[in-house]
Amino acid sequence: MIRKIHTFPDSVLRKKAQPVENIDVDISELLNDMTETMYNQKGVGLAAPQVGVSLRVVVIDTTSGEQPDTLLHLINPEITAAEGEQTGEEGCLSIPGEYEPVRRYNRVTVKAFNPAGEEIEFEAEGFLARAVQHELDHLEGVLFIDRIPPYKRDIVKKHIKRRIADGDYGTIEDVQS
Ligand SMILES: [Zn+2]
């Protein structure tokens, strides 16, 4: 089932997400719905807070469904090591239509649980490492616009305000400054 994507400045995007305690049928359903929602929007990643669920659950597919074996379902993920540096343009399904360059680690080691409840560990580099860092930020209530220079953040926020006023953004809430 496709779920509603919550957009900035929705407060659910600012909450620290809670760890999953039991990987049960509700979590499987959440993961399936998040995957469907991500593919529907041609996204490469989605974190549970973006569908209004404040839990540490993330889906990532850097091919956006072109190669389904690249799909990752991560529960309670953590970055255990990080190195190097990369800068690349980033967007977010919760901040539709806005893109800015963001500096990230180039390589990360990730620990998580899979839907079978097994602990997994893997290394990610380049674009996948970027997607992992972006999605894990969501679990801390952090958005990519928090990682750009303040003057640019002001420009993006003003732009969003104008788009909301024009009915061109996808939320009717007021942007907080
Ligand atoms: Zn995002």
Side-chain angles (χ1 to χ4, degrees):
M1 188 184 81
I2 292 171
R3 300 204 188 188
K4 175 189 171 230
I5 295 180
H6 293 245
T7 48
F8 173 84
D10 193 317
S11 62
V12 72
L13 298 172
R14 291 309 196 177
K15 274 170 65 180
K16 188 174 159 73
Q18 294 305 300
V20 172
E21 288 182 6
N22 296 302
I23 301 174
D24 56 15
V25 63
D26 290 341
I27 296 297
S28 311
E29 198 178 300
L30 175 64
L31 281 162
N32 290 336
D33 288 355
M34 284 170 62
T35 305
E36 203 178 328
T37 306
M38 170 178 72
Y39 286 159
N40 181 57
Q41 294 292 322
K42 310 237 180 311
V44 296
L46 195 66
Q50 294 182 272
V51 294
V53 178
S54 201
L55 286 174
R56 305 187 81 81
V57 173
V58 156
V59 299
I60 294 172
D61 181 351
T62 53
T63 74
S64 194
E66 296 293 314
Q67 290 169 266
D69 59 336
T70 60
L71 176 64
L72 291 169
H73 280 171
L74 306 178
I75 298 158
N76 299 342
E78 282 175 60
I79 291 172
T80 56
E83 62 173 34
E85 202 183 291
Q86 58 167 318
T87 301
E89 192 156 85
E90 243 170 78
C92 180
L93 294 178
S94 292
I95 313 176
E98 304 290 336
Y99 303 89
E100 290 292 333
V102 181
R103 199 159 80 181
R104 300 279 188 187
Y105 291 112
N106 191 47
R107 192 191 310 232
V108 293
T109 306
V110 184
K111 238 186 200 175
F113 288 89
N114 68 16
E118 298 154 346
E119 197 170 21
I120 55 165
E121 190 173 28
F122 62 94
E123 284 191 5
E125 217 185 318
F127 187 57
L128 177 58
R130 168 176 301 282
V132 166
Q133 290 167 84
H134 178 114
E135 297 314 327
L136 267 63
D137 267 358
H138 274 299
L139 305 182
E140 302 303 319
V142 173
L143 302 171
F144 83 91
I145 55 169
D146 302 330
R147 297 196 179 278
I148 64 176
Y151 78 93
K152 278 198 177 175
R153 186 158 57 241
D154 289 346
I155 293 170
V156 170
K157 283 184 177 174
K158 279 200 188 107
H159 190 220
I160 292 171
K161 252 186 199 169
R162 202 169 60 226
R163 289 175 58 205
I164 291 173
D166 292 347
D168 179 33
Y169 178 69
T171 176
I172 51 163
E173 290 166 275
D174 288 322
V175 177
Q176 323 284 323
S177 57

